[in-house]
Every structure is written in structure tokens, then in C-alpha cells.
Amino acid sequence: MKRLMFVVLCLFLSGFMGCGEQPEEVVVDPVDFAIAIHGGAGTIDREMDPELEKAYRKALEDALRFGHGLLEQGATSLDVVEQVVRRLEDDELFNAGKGAVFTHEGRNELDAAIMDGATRGCGSVTGVTTVKNPITLARAVMEASPHVFFTGAGAEVFAEKMGLEKVEPEYFFNQRRWDSLQKVLEREADRESDTEKHGTVGCVALDRNGHLAAATSTGGMTNKRFGRVGDVPVIGAGTYADDATAAISCTGHGEQFIRNTVASRVSAIMEYQGATLAEAAQRVIGDVLQPGDGGLIAVGWDGAIALQFNTEGMYRGAADSSGRFEVAIWD
Ligand code: ASP
């Protein structure tokens, strides 16, 4: 059906181009649904312990298969991105929810955002310390409040009102993340300031009704300070979705993604310059950002998928209704 509509659209557009002028061949193969996930970008050691690498690949595959299955059954993209991100938040491997990194003071402060491409409805939370699944809180902000962005204590009160699952802050303790903070603090003794990043999670999806959604969740950056907020909960920086263009979820050095409004820039390049998703993603990650800044996953209105990064690696996966199913870490 979608394919037929696409052909009709091409014929319709070609009618506007005048006799003799042939429209450029557009090589697009629309799919019924598509999904992409990420588990963070950065300097991912290629000599990673094989058991750990196996665990990462399995976690990505399981999350991707789960989201693909939901889409196949006709779930909305909004439900899918929330459910997939919840699952990744519950996995200690990733820097979100249970596996969140520590702040300079040794706390876990979580950020999350969700956006519905059909309505441009969105919800964000930042600095949350006792909500088990911040992505669900972000969705509640979008659907059950007149606002779009809640911070710290207020966000926690709202979570309680919404009856969301709360946990003691100790729930987020993770030895691996704690050791990372200690290492960074040691290095910091020699330098002015040091932060590290890794493992933010995100999901973008196109559902069978042609609707897009994006969701991102993170613990931020190891050793972050003073109420620092990264790009993830900033709509247009780390998270964005618009049915007319694409759904985008970013990961990397948050400050750079905020300065360059990365997620909405990809959408704007498509909207105003008529670029494909691949071109827009390449331009933003390759030309606007600096090498090492991070990456993004995106699904376009036609089901095209972009997995673009300028770091050594990005935990990622992509699947669609045509049978595509892949998971990767490095190039
Ligand atoms: N972008 C996240 C932040 O700056 C970190 C990450 O993606 O690794 O908070």
C-alpha cells in the first residue's frame, strides 16, 4: 500500500516538472515498519573482553527483536520506543536506569526524553534519582501534564502522583560504573576537569501507520557536576521526531549536541533542503560535529535507517519489515 502511494506521489510530482524534464530517479524502497536502537557511542575498546562483547551483542539483539516483534504485531511507534528503552534501562550494561554512571558527588542522576512524531508532543525529565524507568516518567510528562520538561524534585513528585515505580537511590549502584568514577577522579587530580561518557540508550521507530517516535535515556556523563543537564532531555538536541521527516536519538558529548541542536538539525536539513535522511545524518555528524563527539540513530518517514557516528564505535542495531536485522559495535 505504502509502495503504491509512493509511486502515485512520484507520478504526481513529475507532473509538476514540465515536459521533457525527467524527475531524478528516486531509489527508495518503503517498508511497513522500521526500528533502530543504540546503547551509546564513544571510545569503545576493540580489545574488549569477549564475554562482555557477547553480552552487549546479545542485549542489543534481544532489545531489537523485542521492538521488531511489537511493531510486527501493530504496536504504535510510541509504545515501542518506550518499551524498548525501558528494557535497556533495566540492563546494567548500559548507562541508563540500572546501569547509570555516577556524578562527581557519587550520585546517579537520570535524564530521559520521548517524542511523538505524529503530534510533536514530547516529554522530558532531568536529574531524577529514584524513578526506576525515567523514560516512562518522560512519557507521563507528555501525556498527563500540560508541560514538557520536569526537573529533579518536582519530577519525582510527579512520578509519585503518576504511581510510577520508585526505587531507593542504591538500586542504581553499579560497581563497574563506580570504578569508572574513581578512575576519572584519579586522573582529574592531574587535570582541570574530566568527564567520560558511554552507554546512553535510545530507540527510534516507524510503525505500520507511518508514525515515528524517538526515545532516549541516560545517566549522563561520569563525573558530571552541579546539576549539569546533557542533550538527552533537551528536545531538538538529543531527541526529536516529526512524521514529515525522521525520528532521531543521539548519544555522545551532550554539550556538543546541545550547541549544534543535532537531532532537529537532521530533520531541518531534510525539510528545508530536501536531503535524504542518510545525507542529513552524514552532514551533521561528519561536518557539523567534531570527530569523537558521538553519533545518532534515525528512522525516516519512508523507513530508511541511519546509524551515523564519528567515534570509534557505537552500540547499535537496526531492523525493518523487509527482513533487515543487524547489530554492531565498531565500523
Ligand atoms: N549524551 C549523553 C550526555 O551528554 C551522554 C552519552 O550519550 O553518552 O548526557
Side-chain angles (χ1 to χ4, degrees):
M1 180 63 181
K2 246 186 202 166
R3 194 183 306 270
L4 179 66
M5 281 169 56
F6 186 74
V7 171
V8 170
L9 180 68
C10 288
L11 289 172
F12 178 73
L13 288 176
S14 67
F16 281 104
M17 304 203 61
C19 287
E21 260 186 75
Q22 291 300 314
E24 269 181 37
E25 196 191 343
V26 185
V27 187
V28 180
D29 192 14
V31 293
D32 284 339
F33 60 85
I35 179 170
I37 60 173
H38 73 73
T43 319
I44 304 173
D45 188 2
R46 282 179 191 269
E47 306 300 311
M48 185 191 291
D49 167 19
E51 284 306 309
L52 188 60
E53 180 182 341
K54 223 164 119 196
Y56 270 113
R57 288 186 187 275
K58 180 168 178 349
L60 290 169
E61 268 171 32
D62 288 351
L64 192 61
R65 193 164 294 114
F66 173 62
H68 183 276
L70 291 175
L71 287 166
E72 199 162 40
Q73 290 157 28
T76 65
S77 52
L78 200 58
D79 283 343
V80 171
V81 297
E82 183 201 351
Q83 290 306 319
V84 169
V85 166
R86 274 182 71 97
R87 193 184 172 112
L88 294 168
E89 284 177 339
D90 291 344
D91 190 329
E92 274 192 312
L93 285 174
F94 300 103
N95 171 21
K98 181 85 183 99
V101 297
F102 286 91
T103 65
H104 182 69
E105 291 78 24
R107 289 156 48 92
N108 305 102
E109 296 179 358
L110 315 177
D111 299 340
I114 194 162
M115 187 159 181
D116 179 358
T119 60
R120 292 211 203 126
C122 53
S124 295
V125 292
T126 183
V128 168
T129 56
T130 64
V131 177
K132 183 164 178 266
N133 291 108
I135 198 63
T136 296
L137 180 56
R139 184 165 178 180
V141 171
M142 174 173 81
E143 293 180 336
S145 91
H147 308 296
V148 298
F149 202 168
F150 285 171
T151 69
E156 310 269 351
V157 171
F158 181 66
E160 219 155 300
K161 275 196 194 310
M162 291 291 105
L164 298 190
E165 190 173 354
K166 303 277 287 253
V167 289
E168 293 302 319
E170 294 72 45
Y171 164 82
F172 298 108
F173 183 85
N174 176 322
Q175 193 64 49
R176 207 171 127 224
R177 303 296 188 199
W178 180 256
D179 294 345
S180 296
L181 174 66
Q182 302 317 310
K183 251 196 241 155
V184 172
L185 289 175
E186 274 164 33
R187 284 211 305 266
E188 197 180 42
D190 306 323
R191 277 192 250 162
E192 187 51 19
S193 132
D194 201 351
T195 54
E196 270 202 356
K197 52 185 184 286
H198 269 323
T200 290
V201 304
C203 180
V204 290
L206 170 76
D207 64 28
R208 286 188 184 275
N209 293 319
H211 295 311
L212 292 165
T216 319
S217 183
T218 190
M221 294 173 81
T222 302
N223 199 30
K224 67 181 182 182
R225 313 169 187 226
F226 313 130
R228 179 260 187 191
V229 181
D231 59 315
V232 167
V234 178
I235 295 297
T239 309
Y240 194 72
D242 183 341
D243 274 6
T245 53
I248 301 118
S249 170
C250 303
T251 175
H253 199 292
E255 283 70 9
Q256 284 294 83
F257 283 72
I258 294 175
R259 287 182 188 112
N260 294 292
T261 55
V262 167
S264 62
R265 188 182 290 259
V266 170
S267 170
I269 291 174
M270 294 174 73
E271 183 173 355
Y272 301 122
Q273 300 194 327
T276 63
L277 174 63
E279 287 163 356
Q282 207 288 324
R283 232 185 279 169
V284 175
I285 296 296
D287 302 344
V288 178
L289 292 181
Q290 301 297 314
D293 279 347
L296 61 82
I297 54 166
V299 172
W301 61 272
D302 57 355
I305 295 174
L307 309 163
Q308 198 81 40
F309 55 99
N310 61 24
T311 46
E312 207 171 313
M314 179 168 77
Y315 299 104
R316 61 197 186 278
D320 65 25
S321 56
S322 76
R324 176 178 183 181
F325 189 97
E326 66 195 48
V327 152
I329 302 178
W330 297 280
D331 296 340

